[in-house]
């Protein structure tokens, strides 16, 4: 192999290396840009109602991705894949109205900020606090009672009523 051939190969390896670095940088920049709450809220008119209710909520300082994206690289990849599919629906005019998450309970990351709410059952019962580990162990999650807490102006700033408790605790609730 001649010196000219080695320089030619080295040049191609360097170009490929720079291209990979540029692609990685563009990918990271795109992930960061699409993780901004304003990205979907201002670029997709279909998301404007959700964006506006989020802006009025007590969670306006919590980014959309923090709640709607599972943590870790797998969650990021899944979220970006879903976003790509939603972009296709947007471009083809097939966005459902209203927009709903298929399984919001699977995507809720409430525990990241509210882990203090999984309380000791004895203390919780004494204080009539429903946030017991027992509820979570029996298949309930935050959205069972707090559905709409960010994207519904009617419940944004209020605690849920105890009416939801009646579905399981009718006898016990009538004694309170």
């Amino acid at each position: 192999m001649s010196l000219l051939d080695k320089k030619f190969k080295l040049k191609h390896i360097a170009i490929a290396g720079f291209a990979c670095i540029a692609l990685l940088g563009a990918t990271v920049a795109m992930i960061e840009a699409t993780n901004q709450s304003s990205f979907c809220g201002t670029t997709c008119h279909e998301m404007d109602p959700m964006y506006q209710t989020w802006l009025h909520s007590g969670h306006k300082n919590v980014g959309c991705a923090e709640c709607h994206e599972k943590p870790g690289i797998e969650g990021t990849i899944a979220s970006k894949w879903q976003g790509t599919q939603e972009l296709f629906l947007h471009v083809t005019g097939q966005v459902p109205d209203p927009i709903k998450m298929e399984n919001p309970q699977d995507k809720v990351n409430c525990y990241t900020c509210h882990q203090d709410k999984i309380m000791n059952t004895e203390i919780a019962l004494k204080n009539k606090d429903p946030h017991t580990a027992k509820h979570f162990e029996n298949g309930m999650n935050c959205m069972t009672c707090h559905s709409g807490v960010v994207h519904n102006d009617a419940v944004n700033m209020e605690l849920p009523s105890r009416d939801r408790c009646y579905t399981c605790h009718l006898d016990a609730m009538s004694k309170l």
Side-chain angles (χ1 to χ4, degrees):
M1 185 180 275
S2 73
L3 184 60
L4 184 59
D5 289 339
K6 286 181 183 178
K7 284 183 180 180
F8 184 73
K9 279 188 174 184
L10 187 59
K11 180 179 176 184
H12 282 91
I13 290 171
I15 290 171
F18 285 125
C20 287
I21 291 170
L23 182 62
L24 180 64
T27 300
V28 169
M30 194 63 122
I31 288 171
E32 283 302 312
T34 58
N35 273 352
Q36 302 303 311
S37 299
S38 60
F39 175 79
C40 291
T42 59
T43 57
C44 299
H45 66 273
E46 299 95 351
M47 295 301 293
D48 189 58
M50 281 67 75
Y51 183 65
Q52 294 303 320
T53 56
W54 170 77
L55 284 173
H56 301 142
S57 78
H59 285 83
K60 64 184 171 221
N61 295 323
V62 180
C64 299
E66 292 178 61
C67 295
H68 291 287
E69 195 174 277
K70 289 183 181 179
I73 189 72
E74 289 179 27
T76 299
I77 291 169
S79 173
K80 299 314 165 193
W81 176 248
Q82 181 181 349
T84 302
Q85 293 170 326
E86 291 167 358
L87 177 62
F88 175 78
L89 294 175
H90 174 80
V91 169
T92 59
Q94 300 176 39
V95 177
D97 185 24
I99 296 172
K100 293 213 180 239
M101 291 181 68
E102 289 179 26
N103 289 317
Q105 67 275 12
D106 293 338
K107 298 179 179 158
V108 175
N109 295 322
C110 306
Y111 302 137
T112 303
C113 299
H114 300 286
Q115 54 191 274
D116 61 314
K117 285 298 180 187
I118 302 175
M119 300 177 65
N120 176 295
T121 302
E122 290 177 24
I123 295 170
L125 290 175
K126 189 170 103 178
N127 295 324
K128 298 180 181 172
D129 188 328
H131 298 104
T132 64
K134 185 176 181 181
H135 283 115
F136 297 104
E137 290 164 3
N138 285 317
M140 293 178 71
N141 61 47
C142 301
M143 298 308 291
T144 305
C145 300
H146 296 276
S147 179
V149 73
V150 175
H151 297 299
N152 182 337
D153 278 335
V155 296
N156 257 341
M157 302 306 243
E158 299 173 13
L159 291 173
S161 78
R162 298 260 178 163
D163 290 344
R164 177 71 178 103
C165 306
Y166 283 113
T167 58
C168 298
H169 302 285
L170 186 57
D171 291 336
M173 292 297 291
S174 65
K175 294 175 188 172
L176 293 178

